[in-house]
Amino acid sequence: MERIDESLVMVETGAAIAYRLFDVGYAIDLERALDLLATSGPERVRPVRGEGQALQISNPPITVLLGGETLMLANHSYDVELSARIFDFGVVSLRVKVRAEPMCPWTDFTLFGQRLHQHPSITAIVQHHLRLLTERIAPAVERPSIAALHEDYTVFRVARIRGADGEPLDADALAALDVAPLLLNETRPLSADARRELLPHRFSYYGDDLAILTWDNALVVEPGEQDTDLQYIVEFANAQLLELRYYDALLDAELPRLYDDIEAARARHAVFPGRRFAALLQRLQAQVADSTELVERVENALKVTDDVYLARVYSAALELFRGRTWRAGIDRKLAILRDTYAMLNGEAQAARSETLEIAIVLLIVVELVVGLARA
C-alpha cells in the first residue's frame, strides 16, 4: 500500500481517553449507586448507533461525570475531562479525556499520544477521583475492597484526518497511515511484516471511519462525535478482562494456601475425625460458588446479536485480550477445587463411617460385657 506524507496530514480534532479500570468489590447495586450519585447526574448509557439495539446488556452500567482537572504535558497545559463508568460486577472504569490541539499535524498528534502514555500525573488524578468515588458509592458495594490488579487502556479518538489537499481521508488512505508510533509506542519504523503481525485488528464500517485495536491502545477515526459505541464495546471488554484476570489471580493464590490447610487439618487431632475438614469444605464451596457465579455474570453481561460490525469488534477485542485463555485457566483451577472438595468430602465421609463402625463395635462389646456380668 502506498505510504502518504504524514507531515502534511492534519488531525482536525483529536483526543486521548485514558481508561483505568479497578475491581472495587464483589458486586455493585447500580440502583443504590444511582441514588448515591444523584447530585452528579449519572445515567444508564447504552450504545446510540442505529443498530445499537442489537446489543443485549442485562444491567447497563452507570456513567457519571466527575469534573475537570489540568494536566501539564511538555510545558503545555491541557484541560482534562473526568468521568467514570460503574459496572454491576464490581468494576469501576475511570476515564481521563485529554483533547489535543485542533488541526495539528499527524506527527504532532503521535507525539502528543506518546507523551501522554503512562504520564505520572494521570495516575495521581485517577487515584484521587477513585478514592472519592468509592467513598460515595460504598453503601452500594458488596464486599468492598480495591484490588491491586487493574487494567490500563487508551483510546485515541479522532473526528477527521485531512490530507494535503484539505479533504478528509477515506478509509483506504486512513489505512495507509503509520500508526505504530502512536499505538505501539515505537520510535523506529516497523517493517511491513511487523505492521501486519502487530496491527491485524483493523475495522471500517463507512468510507470515512477506521478502528485499530491493540493490547494497550486503540485508534478510532469517527466523524460522528456522539457515536461512541466502539469505545463502549472496548471498555466493556476491558472490564470483563479485568474480572477474569482478578479471579484467575485469586484462584492462583488460593491453591497453595489450600494445600497447606489440608495438611494442617489432617494433622489436627479431633474427637470426631469426620469434622476436621468442615470449615475447609465450607470455604471451598463458597469459593467455587462465588467464582463461578461472577465469571458467568461477567461473560453474559454483554451480548451482540445482529450488529455484525460491533460483533466483529467485540470478538476481536476478546481474542486480543485472550479472554478465552483466561476463562480456560479459571475453569481448570475451579475443576481442581471441585476435585479437592470431592476428595476431602469423601475422606470425611469415610472417617465418619469408620467412627460409626467403631461406635457400633463398642456398643456390641458393652452389651456382651453387661450380659456376661448379669449371668
Side-chain angles (χ1 to χ4, degrees), residues 18-215:
Y19 296 83
R20 300 292 184 266
L21 297 97
F22 301 88
D23 182 287
V24 301
Y26 178 73
I28 301 175
D29 183 341
L30 296 186
E31 296 301 328
R32 181 79 186 278
L34 274 170
D35 293 337
L36 295 167
L37 296 169
T39 56
S40 302
E43 55 182 336
R44 307 292 285 276
V45 177
R46 288 180 182 270
V48 296
R49 247 168 63 105
E51 298 85 355
Q53 63 269 21
L55 294 181
Q56 297 179 2
I57 305 170
S58 56
N59 196 1
I62 298 170
T63 299
V64 58
L65 300 178
L66 300 178
E69 295 275 358
T70 301
L71 179 69
M72 292 300 298
L73 190 64
N75 298 320
H76 185 82
S77 177
Y78 291 88
D79 290 331
V80 174
E81 302 169 20
L82 286 121
S83 60
R85 188 161 280 162
I86 304 170
F87 297 83
D88 70 320
F89 45 80
V91 170
V92 168
S93 172
L94 274 294
R95 291 96 61 82
V96 181
K97 184 175 183 178
V98 186
R99 295 186 183 274
E101 293 293 324
M103 295 305 295
C104 70
W106 172 256
T107 50
D108 287 356
F109 185 75
T110 298
L111 188 59
F112 161 79
Q114 290 176 331
R115 286 172 175 166
L116 195 66
H117 184 67
Q118 296 297 333
H119 194 284
S121 295
I122 291 181
T123 301
I125 291 171
V126 166
Q127 290 294 335
H128 172 68
H129 284 275
L130 175 66
R131 180 180 58 80
L132 294 178
L133 180 61
T134 51
E135 286 176 357
R136 293 177 65 188
I137 66 171
V141 182
E142 182 181 346
R143 304 181 212 168
S145 176
I146 299 177
L149 195 67
H150 64 275
E151 279 295 325
D152 298 347
Y153 202 81
T154 302
V155 173
F156 297 99
R157 174 68 186 251
V158 174
R160 290 181 183 85
I161 300 179
R162 298 185 180 274
D165 57 0
E167 293 297 317
L169 299 182
D170 60 20
D172 291 336
L174 289 171
L177 284 173
D178 184 11
V179 298
L182 178 66
L183 298 183
L184 304 177
N185 203 28
E186 291 289 348
T187 56
R188 297 177 59 189
L190 296 181
S191 67
D193 288 342
R195 282 198 301 272
R196 281 193 298 270
E197 182 178 350
L198 297 174
L199 299 165
H201 301 290
R202 295 171 177 259
F203 306 91
S204 184
Y205 190 77
Y206 296 110
D208 57 354
D209 64 17
L210 175 70
I212 304 176
L213 307 183
T214 70
W215 173 261

